[in-house]
Amino acid sequence: NAGVTQTPKFQVLKTGQSMTLQCAQDMNHEYMSWYRQDPGMGLRLIHYSVGAGITDQGEVPNGYNVSRSTTEDFPLRLLSAAPSQTSVYFCASSLAGLAGGRADTQYFGPGTRLTVL
Amino acid sequence: AQTVTQSQPEMSVQEAETVTLSCTYDTSESDYYLFWYKQPPSRQMILVIRQEAYKQQNATENRFSVNFQKAAKSFSLKISDSQLGDAAMYFCAYRSVGLNDYKLSFGAGTTVTVRA
């Protein structure tokens, strides 16, 4: 298993450019999510999905779009990049629901460091 | 979203000694999950330990243990016999147990430095 993979690892954009951060998992996890990490603020949830065809907003969704056409993939789109979107982005996945009454661990990808000039 | 507070931006510990990281949270729920994640310089988020609120027994994973005080809404992490590889940023996180609610709320993190 590759686990959760993210591409690219690093990206530099100019203000106004668009791009897609890719996330894929091979663990057949229903739940996938995107977080951004900024200094002094921990990780904040951008968007999440509880299964193919279902997405919802998290804490900081503005400026980002997502879709979930397959169980494996959950891309994050920046339609018009802004300097405020300079951050490290993490994708995470887990089994949905409670298996045996225990929370299922969320597995994180290696992150994408994005700089918007 | 629930608020998770880590009041120690940085902590330093001598190798082989013990360090305790604090975490408090705000919730009105009676059942939930708490986690500690480690983020080394590689940026990878690694689960260290998790605690289920309905369990009174404190979780332990090798040299890592927690002190879970539900009434005080406190969830501290103790690292015993600290090793150089423990140097990292540590995040406390909260998760509800509601249906279809798998969101993690994170604290701001504590950077741990281990002195040789």
Side-chain angles (χ1 to χ4, degrees), chain A residues 96-104, chain B residues 31-33 50-55 95 97:
Chain A
L98 303 177
R102 302 183 63 206
D104 287 291
Chain B
D31 199 12
Y32 45 87
Y33 298 89
R50 67 184 173 198
Q51 174 79 41
E52 295 152 31
Y54 68 88
K55 290 187 176 180
R95 195 198 114 166
V97 298

Side-chain angles (χ1 to χ4, degrees), chain A residues 27-106:
Chain A
M27 297 174 283
N28 202 30
H29 284 171
E30 297 97 328
Y31 180 75
M32 297 185 74
S33 56
W34 278 100
Y35 293 86
R36 60 176 289 171
Q37 181 180 15
D38 301 296
M41 302 186 73
L43 279 75
R44 294 180 292 166
L45 183 66
I46 304 172
H47 285 286
Y48 65 97
S49 168
V50 297
I54 306 170
T55 64
D56 206 345
Q57 297 180 350
E59 185 183 353
V60 288
N62 292 341
Y64 307 95
N65 281 348
V66 292
S67 60
R68 184 94 180 272
S69 57
T70 68
T71 300
E72 295 77 20
D73 300 298
F74 191 45
L76 178 71
R77 297 183 185 85
L78 285 71
L79 297 179
S80 180
S84 62
Q85 293 177 305
T86 294
S87 188
V88 178
Y89 292 84
F90 288 95
C91 179
S93 75
S94 74
L95 289 169
L98 303 177
R102 302 183 63 206
D104 287 291
T105 301
Q106 289 201 26

